[in-house]
Amino acid sequence: MDINIEFMRELHKTSHIVLDTITKNLFELGFTFSEFLILLHLEKTEKEAVQKLGDIALITSGTITFVINKLIKKGLVKKLQNPDDKRIFWISITDLGRKKFEDLFKSHMEYLETVLSSLSTQEKSEFIEKIRWLNSRLNITANEV
Amino acid sequence: MDINIEFMRELHKTSHIVLDTITKNLFELGFTFSEFLILLHLEKTEKEAVQKLGDIALITSGTITFVINKLIKKGLVKKLQNPDDKRIFWISITDLGRKKFEDLFKSHMEYLETVLSSLSTQEKSEFIEKIRWLNSRLNITANEV
DNA sequence: CCAAATTATCTCGACGTCAAGATAATAATG
DNA sequence: CATTATTATCTTGACGTCGAGATAATTTGG
């Protein structure tokens, strides 16, 4: 088979399986992967602009608005308009959000630990390296996070 | 940052970017990635059961029915009931489907060649190896293709 | 043989996401 | 300044997929 096809098939297959597995666990905990990534960032930042959160979760402007509004409805984050540039809205995590994320994070980490338990820290690092190497070598342009 | 989180973030990011890029090209050519994988398989097989095609494209039973019906509507594949086990339906590519896929395949291959041009065959093979290694080491069960 | 379990496909409602366009605010240019 | 371009967010309609349940066909075990 053509090596390019094979390359894409393997990447697709593995990332599909892995992401599916993560997503399912987060779903059982009541969150989407996007929400997890957003809360993960907000938990260690005072505030962040809506668009930046979209870049972090790799979702488009329309979707990040939708996701943020969902999190606001759940009372996990709040929105504040930047007075110096009224186009920008700052998002920050609420006390409730911080509390919920603490539980979510703990459970999900335990789960990831199980899924990845057969890899050593060394092996994980090497794979991260390899994936970053691939990313930098591809002829693809994407937003840097 | 936690290495497991980092591991997932990198895999998510790169596979997201890569799959997004492939998907966009196929979309411009009028196909989804699932359709591409299904036609790719049917093009070199006389016939295949619906469920098996779902496994190949990594989509669930409800979705494969939907996708196959779309391809039938487009006249690219046809469905035939297995007389020995009437639960099973065999799908095979039509002459039109073969012709259309030929063009699709050619265009998409040229595109992939561009995207992956900065990697040598050797490097691609090594990455495929690495991804297969990961797949085999993860504590995840999934349908084998 | 019949009842129960399994298997293959299909239906339906829902979800997460995207793309394109709308709106509002700001920055840049003549 | 006034106009134009850019940027940030939001709205809308659509798409691809999933999960749960329905149906039909087959297999299995008493």
Side-chain angles (χ1 to χ4, degrees), chain A residues 1-19 21-22 33 36-37 40 44 56-59 105 108-109 111-128 130-135 137-145, chain B residues 1-19 21-22 33 36-37 40 44 56-59 105 108-109 111-128 130-135 137-145:
Chain A
M1 204 210 303
D2 184 285
I3 189 140
N4 291 337
I5 290 275
E6 205 174 349
F7 189 94
M8 291 305 175
R9 293 269 296 136
E10 286 301 321
L11 186 58
H12 172 239
K13 186 172 138 190
T14 299
S15 60
H16 180 277
I17 293 170
V18 171
L19 295 177
T21 309
I22 304 172
F33 192 23
F36 178 78
L37 292 177
L40 178 67
K44 43 182 193 219
I56 287 167
L58 297 178
I59 54 184
F105 187 77
H108 191 54
M109 281 313 94
Y111 177 74
L112 280 191
E113 191 53 47
T114 308
V115 170
L116 300 179
S117 63
S118 51
L119 273 62
S120 68
T121 305
Q122 173 74 14
E123 287 172 325
K124 287 173 195 166
S125 294
E126 275 171 23
F127 191 80
I128 291 170
K130 192 78 181 172
I131 263 242
R132 284 192 178 137
W133 163 83
L134 173 66
N135 213 339
R137 291 289 297 279
L138 291 178
N139 287 337
I140 289 174
T141 45
N143 299 334
E144 268 312 306
V145 181
Chain B
M1 205 208 303
D2 185 282
I3 190 137
N4 291 337
I5 288 276
E6 203 174 353
F7 189 94
M8 291 305 175
R9 295 265 299 137
E10 284 302 320
L11 186 59
H12 172 238
K13 185 171 140 189
T14 299
S15 62
H16 181 276
I17 292 170
V18 171
L19 295 176
T21 309
I22 303 172
F33 192 24
F36 179 79
L37 292 176
L40 178 68
K44 43 184 195 221
I56 288 168
L58 297 178
I59 55 185
F105 187 78
H108 192 54
M109 282 312 95
Y111 176 75
L112 279 191
E113 191 52 50
T114 310
V115 171
L116 300 178
S117 63
S118 51
L119 273 62
S120 70
T121 304
Q122 171 74 15
E123 287 172 325
K124 287 172 196 166
S125 295
E126 277 170 23
F127 191 80
I128 291 169
K130 191 80 182 170
I131 262 239
R132 284 192 179 137
W133 163 84
L134 174 66
N135 212 339
R137 292 291 295 280
L138 291 178
N139 288 336
I140 290 174
T141 45
N143 299 333
E144 267 314 305
V145 181

